[in-house]
């Protein structure tokens, strides 16, 4: 396999990194890049969760820093590593600073002529399908049901293969230090020349850590479709699965999730984004709980590739009798300014 094909598999494995990362070192086939973001996010009407906002602004700002490296071992062998951490604000009303960085990603890998193999804290295979609709401020809700299909999962061993510049296949195995708590996943996205993308994934795992050895399991099936032509992009994803406590059945539940998102980019740096998401959990006794039900409308302006401003209005449809909220969910207005480096 040619170097170009090999490199594409490595890039796919490191897709969570910043596309604007600056190269700070390059010598003898080894490169090191540093990137991240500084982002102000303020909710001025209701909290994003739907809870009532008592004050003027709920500060959800954050700072991310990542470091990624790659080394060319031979024509058909490449080594790479990636680390990313995030720091959020502290108690804004008390002016307390948050001194802790939360680890998001930390993995190392080998790129071969057959694809890339990575080891560490990283996204599971299903995430590439859920990200097909992750173009808004509050999107990417279909990854939240089970850890076997979530992002930033520790102890993950993952394979990423790029075939014919059209099909990206991912497979993962999560090796837990707890008994009966391993997980696995498999997914693929095929991009047709006409701009149509088709994604499908499956993940499953044991729940020994929370429910006891051999007592619980979970599974998730997810599918996605996307279409892009010129400045227009639209995508949809749907997921369903179950969490089953084999010991008592008390926590057995099924879940479904639907997410639709689209954007249109104008030629002057401005774009509009619209999204809809609904997630529902159904208990073994038939009781239903809506964990997400919202419409997102966003206007975004990119000053250049590094800095953008946006305003997002989240219309929450959650009701007190169908969610974990004590009262009907509040709508939320978020203003943001993000600098990528």
């Amino acid at each position: 396999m040619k170097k170009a094909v090999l490199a594409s598999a490595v890039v796919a494995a490191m897709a969570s990194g910043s596309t604007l990362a600056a190269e700070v070192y390059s010598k003898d086939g080894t490169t090191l890049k540093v990137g991240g973001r500084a982002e102000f996010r303020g909710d001025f009407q209701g909290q994003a969760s739907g809870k009532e906002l008592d004050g003027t602004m709920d500060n959800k700002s954050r700072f991310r820093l990542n470091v990624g490296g790659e080394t060319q071992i031979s024509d058909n062998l490449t080594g790479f590593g990636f680390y990313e951490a995030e720091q959020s604000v502290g108690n804004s009303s008390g002016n307390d600073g948050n001194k802790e960085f939360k680890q998001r990603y930390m993995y190392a890998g080998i790129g071969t002529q057959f694809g890339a193999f990575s080891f560490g804290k990283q996204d599971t295979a299903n995430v590439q399908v859920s990200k097909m609709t992750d173009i808004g401020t509050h999107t990417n809700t279909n990854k939240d049901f089970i850890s076997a299909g979530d992002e930033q999962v520790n102890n993950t061993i993952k394979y990423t293969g790029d075939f014919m510049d059209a099909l990206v296949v991912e497979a993962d195995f999560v090796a837990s230090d707890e008994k009966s708590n391993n997980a696995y996943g498999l997914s693929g996205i095929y991009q047709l020349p006409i701009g149509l993308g088709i994604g499908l994934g499956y993940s499953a795992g044991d729940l020994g850590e929370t429910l006891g050895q051999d007592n619980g399991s979970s599974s998730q099936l997810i599918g996605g479709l996307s279409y892009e032509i010129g400045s227009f992009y639209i995508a949809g994803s749907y997921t369903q699965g179950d969490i089953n406590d084999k010991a008592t059945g008390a926590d057995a539940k099924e879940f479904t999730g639907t997410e639709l998102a689209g954007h249109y980019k104008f030629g002057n740096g401005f774009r509009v984004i619209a999204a809809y998401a609904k997630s529902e959990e159904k208990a073994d006794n038939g009781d239903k709980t809506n964990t997400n039900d919202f419409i997102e409308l966003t206007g975004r302006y990119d000053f250049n590739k590094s800095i953008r401003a946006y305003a997002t209005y989240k219309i929450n449809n959650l009701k007190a009798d169908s969610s974990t909220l004590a009262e009907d969910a509040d709508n939320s207005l978020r203003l943001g300014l993000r600098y990528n480096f």
Side-chain angles (χ1 to χ4, degrees):
M1 185 176 287
K2 301 296 184 181
K3 287 183 181 180
V5 179
L6 172 62
S8 67
V10 176
V11 170
M14 299 180 65
S16 59
S18 171
T19 58
L20 296 178
E23 186 174 279
V24 296
Y25 176 84
S26 180
K27 185 177 181 182
D28 300 328
T30 297
T31 60
L32 183 68
K33 295 182 178 181
V34 176
R37 71 174 66 165
E39 184 176 12
F40 162 75
R41 303 185 302 171
D43 292 336
F44 289 87
Q45 177 192 337
Q47 300 182 43
S49 63
K51 294 182 179 180
E52 183 181 358
L53 176 61
D54 295 327
T56 303
M57 184 187 76
D58 184 24
N59 194 344
K60 309 297 290 186
S61 301
R62 59 190 177 183
F63 175 82
R64 289 181 183 174
L65 181 66
N66 60 64
V67 180
E70 182 180 341
T71 183
Q72 192 73 41
I73 302 170
S74 65
D75 286 348
N76 295 319
L77 198 63
T78 305
F80 60 90
F82 185 78
Y83 173 83
E84 183 175 82
E86 177 178 291
Q87 185 181 39
S88 59
V89 296
N91 186 334
S92 58
S93 60
N95 203 31
D96 296 329
N98 186 357
K99 300 178 181 179
E100 296 183 358
F101 269 85
K102 176 186 176 182
Q103 181 191 100
R104 287 172 46 84
Y105 296 95
M106 186 172 67
Y107 57 86
I110 294 290
T112 74
Q113 59 180 328
F114 307 106
F117 300 85
S118 49
F119 311 84
K121 188 173 186 179
Q122 55 190 318
D123 294 343
T124 61
N126 269 15
V127 174
Q128 73 160 337
V129 181
S130 70
K131 280 187 174 180
M132 295 174 74
T133 52
D134 187 20
I135 61 173
T137 303
H138 303 286
T139 49
N140 204 12
T141 59
N142 282 341
K143 63 173 177 53
D144 298 333
F145 294 100
I146 64 173
S147 59
D150 205 353
E151 62 182 1
Q152 304 162 36
V153 177
N154 207 3
N155 294 8
T156 299
I157 303 168
K158 187 164 76 170
Y159 165 79
T160 303
D162 189 346
F163 303 94
M164 304 173 293
D165 292 327
L167 176 64
V168 177
V169 174
E170 293 188 356
D172 74 79
F173 177 72
V174 181
S176 176
D177 58 346
E178 299 282 347
K179 290 184 178 180
S180 302
N181 203 45
N182 295 330
Y184 63 91
L186 177 66
S187 70
I189 295 181
Y190 186 76
Q191 295 287 346
L192 279 73
I194 60 174
L196 179 67
I198 304 172
L200 185 65
Y202 177 80
S203 60
D206 298 321
L207 298 173
E209 182 180 6
T210 55
L211 299 180
Q213 183 178 357
D214 300 324
N215 280 342
S217 63
S218 62
S219 63
Q220 179 179 11
L221 180 68
I222 186 170
L225 288 174
S226 66
Y227 180 70
E228 185 172 17
I229 180 170
S231 300
F232 178 72
Y233 175 86
I234 188 169
S237 62
Y238 175 80
T239 187
Q240 65 179 38
D242 62 77
I243 301 173
N244 182 28
D245 184 343
K246 298 177 182 177
T248 65
D251 295 324
K253 59 183 177 182
E254 300 175 352
F255 59 81
T256 59
T258 302
E259 189 169 81
L260 303 171
H263 72 214
Y264 183 82
K265 294 185 290 185
F266 298 88
N268 56 2
F270 181 74
R271 73 179 66 187
V272 291
I273 304 168
Y276 169 75
K278 184 172 183 178
S279 305
E280 183 181 82
E281 296 180 352
K282 180 180 178 181
D284 199 33
N285 60 8
D287 292 342
K288 296 181 179 180
T289 300
N290 290 331
T291 54
N292 275 308
D293 190 350
F294 67 84
I295 297 170
E296 174 187 331
L297 301 173
T298 295
R300 171 179 147 186
Y301 181 74
D302 294 6
F303 296 92
N304 55 34
K305 291 183 179 181
S306 295
I307 189 163
R308 69 182 66 161
Y310 59 89
T312 296
Y313 195 71
K314 183 179 182 182
I315 304 171
N316 272 306
N317 300 315
L318 289 174
K319 303 298 181 182
D321 58 354
S322 61
S323 71
T324 56
L325 296 171
E327 56 186 19
D328 291 354
D330 278 356
N331 296 335
S332 177
L333 172 64
R334 175 172 293 182
L335 302 180
L337 184 65
R338 170 173 157 180
Y339 176 74
N340 296 329
F341 59 91

